[in-house]
Amino acid sequence: MNAVTSPKTELRRQQILDAASECFRKSGFHGASMAEIAKSFGMSCGHIYNYFDSKEAIIRALVERDMEQTLERIASLKAEPDLFAGLMGRVDEGVQRRIDNSSLDTEIMAEASRNETVAKVVQCTDSTIRQELQILLATIAPPGLSDEQLAIRTTLLIALFDGLMIRAIRDPGLQPEALGHTLRKLIGHLLSN
């Protein structure tokens, strides 16, 4: 793909990613074929290859898109007049997003566990997100925390949300509102002590 893309090309790529997401949720990464993705989007299989050279390229693009969206959310938090309140105000949204995306996210993690290329993309995006979140949390963390302590708290905060994708699959009756209420208390404790 060219470094500069037209708005129409970018729109088409995003539409393909949305269609692929649904196919991966329903059939899994290996169960969903390029033909199935193309059919769900109403285009020929060959046409998809004008935008992505493989399913692996699609999954890489999905991971990168998720990272971009996460970085946008972090950037918008930085603009909040009260960062701590802004963070707490978005917990419910984060819980719901992890639950809603659980089947796709676990599919990506499963592929990353056996595909080195996908693993590298997942690890790279995770590193970028952790660094940005740690910078954000440094502004509201208790004074005197070492960089190592802050890194551990950042990792634990991410783990709390990452764990929800597994819980959503194991327990489809999760109550997001109740989780958000308790999670706010845990995050408050994590960031204030």
Side-chain angles (χ1 to χ4, degrees), residues 114-171:
R114 58 185 168 253
N115 181 319
E116 188 176 328
T117 303
V118 173
K120 286 180 182 177
V121 172
V122 166
Q123 292 160 4
C124 182
T125 59
D126 180 75
S127 176
T128 300
I129 290 167
R130 267 186 298 112
Q131 288 170 3
E132 288 299 313
L133 187 57
Q134 186 169 330
I135 290 167
L136 180 78
L137 295 180
T139 63
I140 57 174
L145 273 187
S146 69
D147 287 344
E148 182 182 358
Q149 291 169 321
L150 185 58
I152 289 168
R153 290 175 190 215
T154 302
T155 297
L156 287 172
L157 180 61
I158 292 170
L160 287 170
F161 283 91
D162 282 352
L164 291 174
M165 69 180 167
I166 301 299
R167 293 303 321 150
I169 292 170
R170 290 184 176 184
D171 180 7

Side-chain angles (χ1 to χ4, degrees), residues 19-139:
S21 294
E22 285 307 308
C23 290
F24 293 157
R25 280 185 179 99
K26 292 176 189 170
S27 304
F29 181 66
H30 291 282
S33 66
M34 291 295 264
E36 179 184 349
I37 295 167
K39 182 178 179 186
S40 74
F41 186 59
M43 73 168 35
S44 72
C45 188
H47 194 64
I48 287 181
Y49 287 105
N50 292 327
Y51 300 92
F52 298 98
D53 61 6
S54 65
K55 281 197 299 182
E56 186 178 276
I58 291 173
I59 210 163
R60 279 194 315 265
L62 286 169
V63 171
E64 290 165 357
R65 180 172 76 171
D66 183 62
M67 178 187 72
E68 290 168 8
Q69 292 169 347
T70 301
L71 292 176
E72 286 171 8
R73 286 190 293 275
I74 291 171
S76 72
L77 271 172
K78 289 179 182 177
E80 292 281 342
D82 182 340
L83 184 58
F84 185 78
L87 182 67
M88 290 302 187
R90 296 181 190 192
V91 168
D92 289 336
E93 175 191 331
V95 167
Q96 193 65 57
R97 190 172 38 260
R98 294 312 290 179
I99 291 171
D100 291 346
N101 294 331
S102 61
S103 60
L104 179 62
D105 289 344
T106 53
E107 191 63 36
I108 291 170
M109 291 302 108
E111 186 61 21
S113 74
R114 58 185 168 253
N115 181 319
E116 188 176 328
T117 303
V118 173
K120 286 180 182 177
V121 172
V122 166
Q123 292 160 4
C124 182
T125 59
D126 180 75
S127 176
T128 300
I129 290 167
R130 267 186 298 112
Q131 288 170 3
E132 288 299 313
L133 187 57
Q134 186 169 330
I135 290 167
L136 180 78
L137 295 180
T139 63

